[in-house]
């Protein structure tokens, strides 16, 4: 009986540890390299959540229709190591961003660069996995 209980506990521990790793998505499952966009908008929220930070930006098209873009980034720890702080990008700031649009939801993107309007240096510059110059 004790042996069976030990085996059950070992299996449960293994499943609980590996399941999150297997659940993580790849770039190609959510984003399309052919849907590269460069847009200007106003930040509505910066979400410092694990496993991915997100920046939400309202973009107004030429007809006046506002679309809220949900832009995925890496982990908060990565950006803190790069010097980002929670006040680096705030709601209400106007930005220009480049991203790859989503496969299913086009306004859900993988952020490539984001620059505050009026500044020349990007606040963030990254590449999608597998693209030229991207870290492997």
């Amino acid at each position: 009986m004790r042996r069976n209980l030990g085996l059950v506990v070992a299996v449960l521990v293994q499943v609980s540890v590996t399941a999150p790793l297997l659940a993580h998505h790849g770039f190609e499952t959510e984003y399309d390299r052919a849907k590269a966009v460069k847009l200007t908008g106003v930040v509505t929220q910066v979400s410092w959540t694990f496993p991915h930070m997100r920046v939400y930006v309202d973009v107004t098209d030429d007809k006046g229709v506002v679309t809220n873009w949900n832009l995925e980034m890496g982990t908060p720890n990565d950006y803190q190591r790069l010097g980002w702080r929670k006040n680096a990008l705030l709601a209400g700031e106007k930005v220009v961003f480049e991203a790859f649009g989503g496969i299913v939801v086009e306004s859900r993107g993988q952020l490539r660069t984001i620059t505050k309007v009026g500044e020349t240096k990007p606040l963030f510059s990254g590449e999608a996995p597998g693209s030229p110059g991207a870290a492997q």
Side-chain angles (χ1 to χ4, degrees), residues 74-89:
T75 69
N77 292 340
D78 291 341
Y79 296 99
Q80 287 177 330
R81 283 187 214 114
L82 292 171
W84 272 52
R85 298 296 173 255
K86 291 196 177 191
N87 65 351
L89 185 63

Side-chain angles (χ1 to χ4, degrees), residues 18-27 29-30 50-52 72-75:
T18 58
L21 296 174
L22 296 173
H24 194 267
H25 60 88
F27 177 85
T29 61
E30 294 193 45
F50 187 80
H52 298 282
E72 181 179 298
M73 299 171 66
T75 69

Side-chain angles (χ1 to χ4, degrees), residues 40 58-68:
T40 300
D58 276 349
V59 175
T60 305
D61 69 13
D62 54 354
K63 295 177 184 171
V65 176
V66 176
T67 302
N68 186 255

Side-chain angles (χ1 to χ4, degrees), residues 43 45-48 53-57 73 84-95 111 114-116 123-124:
V43 175
Q45 180 183 353
V46 179
S47 178
W48 286 74
M53 282 184 63
R54 294 193 178 275
V55 176
Y56 298 87
V57 180
M73 299 171 66
W84 272 52
R85 298 296 173 255
K86 291 196 177 191
N87 65 351
L89 185 63
L90 302 171
E93 293 184 300
K94 193 168 184 180
V95 295
L111 187 64
I114 190 163
T115 308
K116 292 181 184 180
L123 183 60
F124 166 77

